[in-house]
Amino acid sequence: MTPNLHLWLIPVLPLVGAVINGFFGKKFSRQTVAAVALLFSGAAFALVLSVAFRFSSLVRPHSETLATWIRAGSFQADFAFYLDQLSLVMLLVVTGVGFLIHIYSVGYMWEEGGFYRFFAYLNLFMFFMLTLVLASNYLLMFIGWEGVGLASYLLIGFWFTKDSAASAGKKAFIVNRVGDFGFLIALFLLIKHFGSLNFDQVAQSIRPLSPEIGGAGLLNAIGLLLMVGAAGKSAQIPLYVWLPDAMEGPTPVSALIHAATMVTAGVYMVARSHVIFERAPMALTVVAIVGTLTALFAATIGVTQTDIKKVLAYSTVSQLGYMFIACGVGAFSAAIFHLMTHAFFKGLLFLAAGSVIHAVSGEQDMRQMGGLRTKIPWTFWTMTIGTFAIAGIPPFAGFFSKDEILWQAYQASWVFWAIGLFTAFLTSFYMFRLWFLTFFGEYRGTAENAHADSASPDHGHNHGHGHGHGGIHESPRAMVIPLVVLAVLSIIGGWIGVPGSLGGSNRFAKFLGPVFHASAPTLPAEHPAEVAPSEKKTEGAEAQGRHGNELLFTAISVLAGLIGLGLAWLLYDRNPQLPQQIAASLGRFYGAVVHKYYVDELYAALFVKPLIAGSTLILWHGIDRDVIDAGLDNSAHGANQVSDSIRHMQSGNLRSYAGWVAAGAAVVIAYMVWMGAR
């Protein structure tokens, strides 16, 4: 008998924390608020760990149905949770990294107003993200999908009195609704043609179908619409514009939303829908093309940014593009592998950036930093590990997942590989540019920060608004401990996916194999197929040749990362005056990249301003004021005139009243006589 794991408790625990802090947190002390938030998010992580330990004994996939949610004719949607290898990986990432970010937030947000509100939002976000991951059908996934959009709006706009933060929250919410429209249409098509939104039932209906080689077709249409939804949530071209602006939220929000959870929801949805995409080649190609263009486009912008968080924001967009490349070439395991390692090193980088900002009185411009490696050593060494990991330098985690994506991309098209390789070079360059500008050379900020006492209490600082707090200093333990844990994961997190060319067996891909190759016939491990000695030799030779090619491409990708490191050292440490000269020589092109290719201005001209003008001239002036308000005003004016006329009939004269009574009686008698005559 399959054991009941009570999967519903995993998302409900953070929800309980959100409710307690949301309704009663204003009356609690900060210690109590923090304890509630950490208790329930930590309990969810502990429960996921217990599920992971018992996972091997389960019949997979494991499903638990709580109730029938919707029943309409033959269509039925259950309130049910679904556990397989893919959802287990996501659960570990979301709860593990999420719990570390909760711990970090206690130190980072300690002196902020709305402390209880922040942790209520943080717990609420985890509830919706876990619901999305555990859902057994697209409808429940969509509830979680919309929920993380709502929670991200609340978190990005946490400092709602700040116009830029409020606008960024609205922008994220609206842009995601554009993508969600495509997602909804895809769900309607699934209901109409397959009669279900359950993952297993949809997969069973689609597996017998042949790939739609001809192009346009039902599965390609569904795949493209799902891609639109994924592009909104995972910030792909053309719906990426919300994510860089979302840096207006507190830094822990950036780490949670833009590293480990929300932005990876689109990648997870595409991977979960792999049966559809594998039979929709055109949609799969679009996924690869969009991912490739996004990775390159965002990387070029990241090269010119001077705000430390904006560099990491465009880096996130670029890395998400990498994951879409992997999905687009059918390497879903590689995409999830990079999703996991990215959660480690990008979460680390965002939190380390927050530690830097904390140390320098809220300053985010890297041009006002420098020489910080001796003043904040824990932050420096952990951020160094994150930088080497994202640059793809072995043996850090990012090397293995990035290398796997590049190799799989080459198997599909050398164009995808070439652009991915150039993007890897750009990634290394702009990340080591950040590293050198922040930690090396002379300090370029204000003198009082440079020479003030570096010691400081654990709490009592404002971490997000740029107010001074008495000099450059290392972060409190509540912030440093998550950095250290994520740094360790950024080193060893990729070792589970060491490929055969490097002497490993890619255990991560094997673990996810049953999810992505469930329809392929397999032989039991204890009864391997008989292979003739000559065939064994041939297969061995082919494997050696393939491993040799993979090693060559691995060396090329590592070389690209090292060239990026060397170029960043040359420009920003050895010859710091050279970048300005190069920027001046590039002229308008450099200006276009600095201004992010004027995409925001283009969207404002094409969409935002016409919508505002239309709503003002047509909806407000034309309909609201001239039709609705005018109609109500005219009705009121007419009623006033009628009542005024009737009022003048009330003279107070008895003879006048008697005359009106007599006239009325005469009319009644005349009517009765006329009716009798008929």
Side-chain angles (χ1 to χ4, degrees):
M1 182 177 178
T2 303
N4 192 331
L5 300 176
H6 302 291
L7 295 175
W8 60 274
L9 277 173
I10 296 174
V12 164
L13 284 168
L15 178 63
V16 173
V19 170
I20 293 174
N21 275 333
F23 284 99
F24 309 107
K26 194 171 185 179
K27 300 177 182 179
F28 294 162
S29 66
R30 291 179 184 266
Q31 288 86 350
T32 304
V33 169
V36 169
L38 293 178
L39 172 64
F40 287 99
S41 59
F45 178 48
L47 187 54
V48 170
L49 288 177
S50 71
V51 169
F53 284 124
R54 300 170 62 186
F55 186 74
S56 61
S57 64
L58 299 176
V59 176
R60 301 184 293 271
H62 174 82
S63 183
E64 295 182 5
T65 301
L66 299 183
T68 297
W69 190 9
I70 297 174
R71 181 182 285 115
S74 61
F75 175 77
Q76 178 176 314
D78 293 329
F79 199 92
F81 296 108
Y82 187 86
L83 181 69
D84 63 358
Q85 290 85 346
L86 176 58
S87 55
L88 179 62
V89 171
M90 293 297 296
L91 285 175
L92 288 167
V93 169
V94 172
T95 57
V97 178
F99 180 57
L100 290 173
I101 292 171
H102 273 70
I103 296 173
Y104 178 95
S105 299
V106 173
Y108 193 87
M109 301 295 292
W110 189 260
E111 285 299 314
E112 290 291 345
F115 187 76
Y116 76 96
R117 183 166 51 88
F118 178 81
F119 280 99
Y121 294 164
L122 218 58
N123 277 183
L124 183 67
F125 181 90
M126 283 194 67
F127 160 70
F128 282 122
M129 189 66 200
L130 291 169
T131 300
L132 186 159
V133 169
L134 277 171
S136 70
N137 57 70
Y138 283 104
L139 186 58
L140 187 55
M141 173 189 272
F142 189 74
I143 298 299
W145 187 276
E146 291 297 287
V148 295
L150 169 64
S152 67
Y153 162 76
L154 296 172
L155 287 166
I156 293 167
F158 176 75
W159 290 313
F160 55 86
T161 57
K162 186 179 174 184
D163 287 342
S164 58
S167 298
K170 289 185 288 187
K171 186 175 184 179
F173 192 81
I174 293 169
V175 172
N176 272 272
R177 299 294 75 73
V178 175
D180 295 348
F181 179 74
F183 193 2
L184 268 177
I185 300 300
L187 300 193
F188 294 152
L189 288 175
L190 287 173
I191 294 172
K192 177 176 175 57
H193 293 279
F194 302 107
S196 177
L197 291 178
N198 182 276
F199 295 142
D200 284 340
Q201 292 177 13
V202 169
Q204 289 171 9
S205 299
I206 291 177
R207 279 196 184 101
L209 302 180
S210 300
E212 294 178 345
I213 305 299
L218 174 63
L219 296 181
N220 273 310
I222 293 173
L224 289 172
L225 289 166
L226 290 175
M227 171 61 198
V228 172
K233 198 66 73 183
S234 292
Q236 299 296 287
I237 289 175
L239 301 178
Y240 73 93
V241 291
W242 67 269
L243 195 149
D245 287 10
M247 295 300 108
E248 291 292 338
T251 300
V253 174
S254 302
L256 184 66
I257 293 178
H258 309 136
T261 54
M262 175 179 163
V263 293
T264 60
V267 179
Y268 170 73
M269 185 261 280
V270 172
R272 178 60 75 192
S273 307
H274 67 96
V275 176
I276 297 173
F277 282 96
E278 286 168 347
R279 287 153 182 80
M282 184 178 75
L284 207 58
T285 301
V286 170
V287 171
I289 292 172
V290 169
T292 303
L293 294 177
T294 302
L296 177 62
F297 182 81
T300 59
I301 297 175
V303 168
T304 63
Q305 297 301 299
T306 56
D307 184 312
I308 190 170
K309 287 177 67 176
K310 284 291 180 70
V311 174
L312 296 177
Y314 282 103
S315 169
T316 298
V317 177
S318 183
Q319 295 301 305
L320 289 166
Y322 254 97
M323 298 175 207
F324 272 78
I325 293 173
C327 288
V329 300
F332 298 102
S333 294
I336 301 301
F337 187 27
H338 197 59
L339 182 156
M340 182 186 73
T341 60
H342 179 263
F344 299 151
F345 61 70
K346 185 56 65 65
L348 169 61
L349 288 168
F350 267 118
L351 296 185
S355 184
V356 170
I357 295 167
H358 165 90
V360 292
S361 306
E363 180 62 66
Q364 294 184 199
D365 191 334
M366 297 183 298
R367 295 171 297 184
Q368 301 303 314
M369 299 178 187
L372 298 179
R373 69 185 183 279
T374 58
K375 298 179 174 64
I376 47 175
W378 284 98
T379 301
F380 166 67
W381 285 111
T382 54
M383 197 166 194
T384 297
I385 291 170
T387 302
F388 275 80
I390 194 174
I393 307 299
F396 298 93
F399 159 72
F400 297 101
S401 56
K402 180 207 70 173
D403 186 64
E404 180 71 14
I405 290 176
L406 287 176
W407 173 246
Q408 296 292 343
Y410 179 76
Q411 305 299 308
S413 168
W414 70 268
V415 176
F416 294 150
W417 171 80
I419 297 177
L421 180 68
F422 183 62
T423 302
F425 156 72
L426 291 177
T427 301
S428 176
F429 172 71
Y430 66 65
M431 286 306 306
F432 280 110
R433 169 180 176 263
L434 178 153
W435 191 58
F436 283 117
L437 284 175
T438 303
F439 295 108
F440 291 84
E442 297 296 325
Y443 183 72
R444 299 177 294 276
T446 57
E448 57 267 27
N449 280 340
H451 301 294
D453 182 8
S454 63
S456 72
D458 281 356
H459 302 301
H461 307 302
N462 187 296
H463 305 302
H465 301 292
H467 303 304
H469 50 54
I472 299 173
H473 61 284
E474 187 58 271
S475 298
R477 285 187 298 275
M479 294 168 63
V480 169
I481 291 172
L483 294 180
V484 173
V485 175
L486 287 172
V488 172
L489 291 173
S490 297
I491 296 173
I492 68 173
W495 296 356
I496 194 174
V498 177
S501 61
L502 296 176
S505 58
N506 202 339
R507 288 176 291 170
F508 189 83
K510 288 182 178 179
F511 178 72
L512 291 177
V515 176
F516 298 122
H517 305 291
S519 58
T522 56
L523 290 171
E526 62 269 26
H527 300 292
E530 292 295 328
V531 180
S534 59
E535 293 176 349
K536 288 183 179 180
K537 290 180 181 179
T538 303
E539 290 179 1
E542 290 178 355
Q544 288 180 357
R546 186 169 61 252
H547 288 166
N549 290 336
E550 190 172 353
L551 277 175
L552 174 62
F553 282 92
T554 297
I556 294 173
S557 67
V558 172
L559 181 61
L562 293 175
I563 292 174
L565 164 60
L567 186 60
W569 170 79
L570 181 65
L571 294 178
Y572 295 98
D573 188 58
R574 188 74 174 176
N575 300 291
Q577 74 285 349
L578 202 54
Q580 292 182 348
Q581 299 173 8
I582 295 174
S585 66
L586 292 175
R588 291 184 178 179
F589 174 73
Y590 181 80
V593 179
V594 168
H595 289 90
K596 297 158 284 191
Y597 299 104
Y598 301 101
V599 172
D600 283 312
E601 291 81 357
L602 178 64
Y603 282 10
L606 292 178
F607 304 113
V608 179
K609 291 180 181 178
L611 283 172
I612 294 175
S615 63
T616 302
L617 297 175
I618 299 174
L619 295 179
W620 179 31
H621 290 294
I623 297 177
D624 188 39
R625 192 180 67 178
D626 295 343
V627 176
I628 298 174
D629 288 351
L632 292 173
D633 291 343
N634 290 336
S635 299
H637 182 66
N640 183 58
Q641 288 182 322
V642 171
S643 63
D644 187 63
S645 300
I646 295 174
R647 180 175 61 83
H648 286 294
M649 294 174 63
Q650 307 298 319
S651 62
N653 191 312
L654 291 177
R655 286 181 298 177
S656 175
Y657 291 162
W660 281 111
V661 170
V667 170
V668 172
I669 292 170
Y671 175 76
M672 293 176 67
V673 171
W674 178 70
M675 289 297 293
R678 295 183 61 188

